[in-house]
Amino acid sequence: MLELATPVQYVKGIGPRLAAVLAGKGIHTVDDLLHYLPFRYEDRLNPRPIAELRPGEMACVIAEVRTARLFRTRTGTPMFELTAAQGRARLHCLWFHGTYLKDKFQPGQRVAVYGKVEEDRRGEWQIIQPQIEVLSSPGNDQGSDRAEHNSAAAVEVGCIVPIYEAAGNLSSRWFRRVIHSALENLTAEIPEPIPKSVRARMGLIPARQALSLVHEPDASESLENLFSFRSPAHIRLIFEELFSIELGLEWKRRQQKGQTGIRFRLDDRVRQVIKRILPFHPTTAQKRVLKEIANDMEKPFPMRRLLQGDVGSGKTIVAFQAAIIAIENGYQVALMAPTEILATQHFLSARRILEKAGYRIVLLTGSADEGHKREIRRHVAHGNAQLVIGTHALLEETVEFEKPGLVIVDEQHRFGVLQRLKLMRKGADLNPNGRTESAVPLLPEPDVLVMTATPIPRTLALTLYGDLDISIIDEVPPARTPIVTRRVSDQRSPEVWEFVRQQVAGGHQAYVVYPLIEENQERELKAAMQMYKELSRRIFPDLKVGVLHGRLDAETKDSTMRFFQRGEIQILVSTTVIEVGVDVANATVMVIEHAERFGLAQLHQLRGRIGRGAAKSYCILMTSGKVSEEGERRLHALARTNDGFEVAEFDLELRGPGEFFGTRQAGLPTFRIANIIRDRQLLEAAKREAAAVLDGPNAELTQQEIDLAIAYMRTRWQRQFGLVEVG
Ligand code: ADP
Ligand code: MG
C-alpha cells in the first residue's frame, strides 16, 4: 500500500530513473504526484459525433485514423496531416512543423482529438494543432499485461478524462496511468489535516475523496466546474493549501506576540520631543498610524508591523517619530534602506530633523572606507550612536548593537515574504543575545517596522504579510496637486523637451529616466549615457544636466544627488536607481523613456518622485515604436489614475501574482494549486478559519485536531519554503 509520504519511485510504472525526472518537476512523493493536477479535462464520456460539430467549438472527438502523411506547403513548411473518421464523416487534423509526428500513427488506430473546430476550404471539418492521444491500436491490445492495460484504458475513454501538462518525455497519458495506479494503491485512510468543524462550515469533502475525484471525476460532475477549478474536489484541495499557508502566517504572528519585547514608555516628555522636531503638521493618517505603532511599542511583546503607504504619503517622518520613542527610552535604532542613495538621503533628513533633539546619527554604507566603517561599528557596539542608517546588506551582516530597540526596514516592497522572514530574523539578530555565550542576561526582542511604498492589493497582503499587523497611510500630505500623466510617442520628443525647458524656466526641476532592464545592463547603460550626452550637449547646452546610474561610485552619486537637491542641477538624467525614495519637492517633471517596457508598479514608483510639492507636476510616458496591446493597457491604466491601490490591483490582474513584483521579487510563496486571484474568496475564508483554529479548542474543535493541523502546516512550510523556523 502507498502512503502520501511514500517516494514516487514505489508507484507502479515509476522506477528510480523516472523518479529522478519527476524530482526535477518538484514531484518527490505520492502526495506531490497526486497534487499534480490536470490543467483541463476532456469529455470522452460524451465525445462529439463529427457530423454534429459546429465551427468554433472546442470539441473532443473519438475517431479512427484513416490516413496520415507528411507534406510541405508551398513555402516549404513541413505539415503533418491526419484524417480521422467516424464512418463517412471525416475530420482533418493539421500540425505545422509536424515532422516529429511522422511515424506515430497507423490507419485503424482509435484516437481522441481535442481542439477548435474549423471549416476548411473543402467545406470539411478541420482542427489545427489539435491535442491527440492514441487510445488503442489494432492488434496491439494483446500482451502479457493485458488486464492492467484494460484497467488503465478504462480511464481513457467513456469518462471525463484528465489532461496533464507533459513533462519532458512523460506524456499526459503517462501521468494519467501512474496517477491512476497511485490512487488504486493508496491507503484508504489518509490523515485529515482540516478540523471537522472547519470542513463542515466550508462544506469540504474529505481529503481522500478529493484526491480521487480531481483526477477521476464522476461522470455526473459539471464540466464547467471542473474547467474553472470549482468542483468540490478542487475547492477542497485549494482550501487546504491556503489554509496551511494562513495557518503558518497566523501562527508565526501569534508566536511573535509570545516573545518578550521592550515595553517602551511614551510619556509627555517623549511627546514633547516628538512635537518639537516635527517640521510640519502631520496628516490625520500619519497621526493614526503613529498611534498604532506607539501602541505596539508600549506593549510587552515585540512589534511586527507593516507600514504601507503610497509613494509620497509621508512614511519617513512616521518612522522618525517611532525612532524618537525608542531613543528616548535609551535604545538604539537601525534604519535600513535598499540602496545607498536612499540610505544617504535618509541620513541627511535624519540629521536635519533629528539632530535638533541632540541624537548621534551615523551612516554606514558599503562604499565607505574600511577604517571609517570600523570606527562606526565600534560606536554602534558601544552604544554611542543612537540612530544607525545603512543599507540592508550592511546592517544585517556586520553590525552589533549595544542595545537595539527598533529596526526599521524601508521600501520593503523589493523583498518577498521569504526574504523578509530572513531579514526579520536578522533584524532580531541585531540583538546580541544570539551571539554571546549567555552569561549576559537575555535582552528583549527589538521591535520591527517595515515600510512599503507599493500599495499591495489586499489579497496579496494577506499572503505576503499575514504574519504582520498592518498600518496604512491612505492620505497624501496637503497642498499636493494631482500629477498629470501623458503618454506620447518619442517622435514628439522635441515638444517634450520644449515643455521641460519651460518648467525649468519656471524654477522647477526635471527627471529624465531611462529605465534599465537588468538583463541588458551593458547595452542599456550605454543607451542611457548616450541620452545624457544628447540632452546635455545638444538639447539643453545652456542648462545644468546631471546623470545618475548604479555604476557610479558612491561619492559621485552622493554629490550628484546633493546638487540636485539644492537645485544646482536642473535636469537629472537617470536610470531606475531613483525609483525608490528619492525626495526632491521642487522636481515637477518626470519624463520616462521607453515607458512601454516597464511594469506598472515600477512606473508608478517612478512617477511618485514628482508631485511632492505644491506646484503642478507632469509625468510624461514616452514610448518608442509599436507598443504591444498589454503595454497599451498598462500605460492607459497609469494615465487614468494616480491611486497606487488601483494601479496595484490592475497590475496584479494583468500580470498574475507570480510576476506582480517583477523578477527581483522571487519571494512570493508559490502555490501548488491555489491561485490567489482566482481563489481570493477561499483565501479570505482560509485566513478566517486559520485564526479561529488557533484561538484554541472549543465544543466543536479538539486540541488533537488543532495539533494535527499545526503539524501538517509545519511539514508543508518546511517542504515548500524550507523555512524550518516557522512554528
Ligand atoms: P514616502 O512615504 O514616499 O517615503 P516621504 O516620507 O519621503 O514619502 O514624504 C514625501 C514628502 O512629503 C517629503 O518631502 C516630506 O517631507 C513631505 N511630507 C510628509 N508628511 C508631510 C505633511 N504632513 N505635511 C507636509 N509635507 C509632508
Ligand atoms: Mg520613503
Side-chain angles (χ1 to χ4, degrees):
M1 274 303 184
L2 299 170
E3 310 216 352
L4 288 179
T6 310
V8 274
Q9 76 171 80
Y10 300 111
V11 175
K12 197 175 285 170
I14 308 178
R17 197 181 55 81
L18 291 179
V21 177
L22 288 175
K25 278 225 121 192
I27 299 173
H28 305 276
T29 61
V30 169
D31 184 62
D32 294 334
L33 181 66
L34 294 180
H35 280 85
Y36 191 73
L37 297 200
F39 69 96
R40 68 177 178 85
Y41 297 83
E42 258 175 35
D43 184 2
R44 294 191 195 161
L45 183 64
N46 304 295
R48 304 275 293 139
I50 295 175
E52 289 175 18
L53 292 176
R54 298 271 161 279
E57 78 171 304
M58 297 296 294
C60 172
V61 173
I62 293 178
E64 193 184 294
V65 176
R66 287 287 156 80
T67 62
R69 67 182 184 116
L70 192 66
F71 67 99
R72 280 181 188 278
T73 63
R74 254 169 301 154
T75 54
T77 310
M79 299 284 285
F80 186 76
E81 183 182 40
L82 178 148
T83 302
Q86 293 166 344
R88 300 171 58 110
R90 297 195 304 171
L91 173 67
H92 304 282
C93 302
L94 279 170
W95 288 265
F96 290 90
H97 302 283
T99 319
Y100 65 101
L101 292 167
K102 196 160 68 87
D103 300 317
K104 290 236 159 106
F105 303 98
Q106 296 138 27
Q109 281 174 326
R110 282 217 313 152
V111 288
V113 177
Y114 179 85
K116 188 171 172 184
V117 177
E118 295 171 4
E119 203 173 336
D120 71 8
R121 261 176 289 168
R122 293 162 286 191
E124 298 191 18
W125 297 127
Q126 72 173 16
I127 299 184
I128 295 180
Q129 308 284 122
Q131 304 208 3
I132 188 163
E133 228 176 73
V134 178
L135 299 176
S136 67
S137 303
N140 223 12
D141 268 358
Q142 292 93 17
S144 56
D145 62 348
R146 176 153 191 189
E148 191 187 316
H149 189 101
N150 280 349
S151 135
V155 297
E156 319 255 281
V157 282
C159 54
I160 297 172
V161 175
I163 308 293
Y164 302 88
E165 197 177 305
N169 279 335
L170 307 178
S171 65
S172 170
R173 189 179 191 209
W174 182 85
F175 274 107
R176 194 179 308 135
R177 291 186 173 200
V178 295
I179 286 173
H180 178 70
S181 141
L183 283 170
E184 275 193 329
N185 295 301
L186 182 65
T187 49
E189 297 287 320
I190 62 171
E192 175 55 78
I194 303 180
K196 197 161 160 228
S197 54
V198 177
R199 268 182 292 147
R201 261 195 304 277
M202 298 297 304
L204 301 177
I205 64 173
R208 180 70 171 79
Q209 196 186 354
L211 285 175
S212 294
L213 289 179
V214 83
H215 294 288
E216 295 172 1
D218 276 347
S220 59
E221 185 54 77
S222 134
L223 275 173
E224 203 178 315
N225 284 344
L226 286 170
F227 274 70
S228 57
F229 277 54
R230 278 295 164 274
S231 73
H234 282 104
I235 290 179
R236 153 76 212 206
L237 295 175
I238 291 168
F239 182 85
E240 183 176 313
E241 180 167 39
L242 295 172
F243 178 71
S244 131
I245 289 278
E246 291 303 325
L247 199 64
L249 290 168
E250 184 66 21
W251 166 270
K252 179 137 186 83
R253 201 167 83 92
R254 294 187 187 206
Q255 217 209 9
Q256 281 158 353
K257 298 243 153 112
Q259 287 174 313
T260 313
I262 305 161
R263 200 191 277 265
F264 291 103
R265 287 174 52 94
L266 177 53
D267 52 22
D268 281 343
R269 188 182 57 81
V270 181
R271 286 210 177 82
Q272 279 309 316
V273 181
I274 292 179
K275 229 186 196 147
R276 263 207 314 278
I277 62 102
L278 272 182
F280 34 63
H281 289 294
T283 61
T284 317
Q286 283 169 322
K287 279 191 215 153
R288 190 191 61 240
V289 300
L290 179 66
K291 202 158 163 206
E292 289 164 357
I293 292 166
N295 273 343
D296 278 4
M297 293 181 74
E298 288 183 288
K299 297 228 170 87
F301 42 75
M303 167 169 77
R304 294 290 181 267
R305 187 167 282 278
L306 175 75
L307 175 57
Q308 189 177 316
D310 208 347
V311 276
S313 62
K315 294 183 292 293
T316 315
I317 196 72
V318 175
F320 285 172
Q321 290 171 301
I324 293 174
I325 299 175
I327 296 172
E328 289 298 323
N329 277 268
Y331 285 88
Q332 291 172 294
V333 177
L335 170 54
M336 309 186 186
T339 63
E340 288 207 1
I341 291 185
L342 194 51
T344 308
Q345 185 176 293
H346 278 323
F347 175 65
L348 295 176
S349 30
R351 281 233 306 243
R352 198 175 62 227
I353 295 171
L354 293 177
E355 268 183 354
K356 278 185 265 175
Y359 302 150
R360 285 174 306 277
I361 303 167
V362 294
L363 173 68
L364 200 57
T365 56
S367 54
D369 72 76
E370 268 315 313
H372 182 66
K373 281 194 262 189
R374 214 173 310 121
E375 175 79 7
I376 288 180
R377 281 198 289 265
R378 214 165 44 80
H379 278 303
V380 179
H382 291 143
N384 294 335
Q386 289 152 306
L387 174 57
V388 189
I389 300 175
T391 51
H392 294 134
L394 218 64
L395 287 188
E396 276 167 50
E397 273 150 34
T398 59
V399 192
E400 278 183 55
F401 285 69
E402 193 213 25
K403 209 179 168 196
L406 172 66
V407 179
I408 302 167
V409 184
D410 192 18
E411 303 299 353
Q412 160 64 40
H413 70 282
R414 297 192 147 215
F415 301 86
V417 67
L418 304 181
Q419 285 156 300
R420 181 169 49 77
L421 286 174
K422 277 190 213 136
L423 202 67
M424 288 261 217
R425 203 183 47 218
K426 289 256 176 80
D429 277 354
L430 296 182
N431 199 328
N433 280 348
R435 305 212 191 100
T436 355
E437 296 297 323
S438 179
V440 191
L442 283 186
L443 284 178
E445 288 286 306
D447 282 354
V448 178
L449 177 68
V450 292
M451 307 200 287
T452 176
T454 305
I456 298 155
R458 184 175 152 70
T459 29
L460 261 187
L462 284 179
T463 45
L464 277 170
Y465 299 113
D467 58 332
L468 300 182
D469 297 305
I470 300 184
S471 289
I472 299 176
I473 306 185
D474 51 4
E475 179 187 0
V476 289
R480 300 261 173 100
T481 337
I483 302 165
V484 177
T485 303
R486 289 271 181 278
R487 190 241 135 134
V488 301
S489 148
D490 62 1
Q491 287 170 345
R492 288 173 56 192
S493 62
E495 291 166 59
V496 173
W497 304 137
E498 185 47 39
F499 179 73
V500 170
R501 181 177 285 284
Q502 281 166 21
Q503 287 286 308
V504 172
H508 297 296
Q509 290 163 280
Y511 296 97
V512 178
V513 176
Y514 198 100
L516 267 192
I517 299 179
E518 260 156 65
E519 299 83 73
N520 264 332
Q521 289 249 6
E522 286 307 327
R523 218 179 61 217
E524 304 266 329
L525 195 57
K526 249 200 206 137
M529 289 310 291
Q530 194 58 42
M531 186 76 227
Y532 165 62
K533 275 190 203 134
E534 166 92 359
L535 288 174
S536 58
R537 295 193 192 150
R538 215 174 58 74
I539 299 175
F540 304 115
D542 50 330
L543 299 180
K544 274 166 265 150
V545 183
V547 68
L548 202 59
H549 58 78
R551 298 280 177 85
L552 296 172
D553 63 73
E555 220 164 295
T556 314
K557 275 192 230 171
D558 236 55
S559 57
T560 305
M561 240 6 260
R562 254 175 254 218
F563 285 140
F564 191 60
Q565 229 137 22
R566 290 205 296 255
E568 287 161 26
I569 287 175
Q570 293 156 315
I571 299 172
L572 183 62
V573 179
S574 163
T575 61
T576 31
V577 290
I578 61 150
E579 178 193 339
V580 285
V582 171
D583 181 29
V584 177
N586 191 44
T588 55
V589 188
M590 162 75 54
V591 181
I592 303 175
E593 297 247 350
H594 292 292
E596 75 279 1
R597 294 188 202 163
F598 292 85
L600 266 176
Q602 195 170 23
L603 291 172
H604 181 68
Q605 286 291 323
L606 283 169
R607 178 168 65 176
R609 300 305 114 218
I610 55 169
R612 298 189 152 229
K616 193 160 184 176
S617 289
Y618 303 88
C619 175
I620 299 161
L621 306 170
M622 271 222 265
T623 58
S624 169
K626 189 161 163 42
V627 180
S628 71
E629 198 179 311
E630 203 203 291
E632 287 293 352
R633 281 165 59 193
R634 278 200 302 266
L635 298 173
H636 183 75
L638 210 66
R640 198 186 56 210
T641 179
N642 274 315
D643 180 334
F645 275 93
E646 251 179 73
V647 172
E649 288 282 354
F650 190 75
D651 201 19
L652 183 61
E653 238 145 70
L654 216 57
R655 288 198 287 165
E659 280 180 72
F660 178 70
F661 289 101
T663 46
R664 275 175 305 188
Q665 196 76 15
L668 199 71
T670 48
F671 295 105
R672 291 203 284 190
I673 318 174
N675 169 319
I676 57 174
I677 298 173
R678 182 190 64 207
D679 305 325
R680 268 169 206 235
Q681 281 166 351
L682 286 173
L683 180 65
E684 303 258 0
K687 186 178 174 61
R688 204 173 53 232
E689 295 294 345
V693 165
L694 291 179
D695 282 343
N698 56 43
E700 301 183 320
L701 180 68
T702 66
Q703 186 61 48
Q704 200 188 354
E705 283 181 305
I706 300 177
D707 293 344
L708 208 77
I710 290 173
Y712 171 76
M713 171 273 286
R714 281 183 161 178
T715 28
R716 260 287 167 82
W717 272 76
Q718 255 163 46
R719 290 206 51 214
Q720 220 160 334
F721 309 127
L723 278 182
V724 190
E725 79 269 25
V726 171

